[in-house]
Structures are given as C-alpha cells and as structure tokens.
Amino acid sequence: GGKTGTLLDPENRDVLYTWFSGIAPLNSPNSIAIGTVVASPQNWVVRASSVAQTTLADYLKFEKSDSRVASRSN
C-alpha cells in the first residue's frame, strides 16, 4: 500500500518533484516501509513510485532468498 504525490517549486518550474511512501507486504509481520523523493527535469520524468517499486521488489526477492533475513521474524 502507498501514497504518491507531486510537487512543483514555484521558483524553478523546470524541476518536477515526485514522492512515494508505502509499506509492503501488507498485513505481514515482516513488512518494510519506504519513503522516496525524486527530483527530475520536466522533460525527463523518473517517478518516485517507480524507484520505490523497483527497490521493494529487489528487497523482497532478497528477503525471500536469504534465510538470515527470513529467520529474524521467526
């Protein structure tokens, strides 16, 4: 679950700020929270939600494959 947002700097309209905060997986004792802010030029947008999605997917794959991480919750 998560929430996204977009911000513009009134003094520098060439930069778009996006943010994302969330938690995954939901309803799990092993959930992880993430907060991401990305500033990118208006003509080349990388959104914070995309960065967070990639980061969470990589972390969850690592957690699933690493018995040391999985055993912390047991």
Side-chain angles (χ1 to χ4, degrees), residues 4-71:
T4 61
T6 305
L7 303 166
L8 280 173
D9 182 346
E11 295 179 14
N12 186 2
R13 293 200 170 264
D14 293 334
V15 178
L16 177 68
Y17 297 89
T18 61
W19 59 268
F20 174 86
S21 60
I23 187 169
L26 291 175
N27 302 320
S28 170
N30 298 329
S31 294
I32 184 168
I34 188 168
T36 310
V37 177
V38 174
S40 63
Q42 287 274 20
N43 61 352
W44 186 71
V45 178
V46 174
R47 299 208 179 268
S49 57
S50 297
V51 174
Q53 180 183 24
T54 301
T55 303
L56 285 171
D58 287 347
Y59 174 80
L60 294 171
K61 284 181 208 170
F62 169 77
E63 181 185 53
K64 190 174 186 177
S65 68
D66 189 336
S67 61
R68 293 172 299 164
V69 174
S71 67

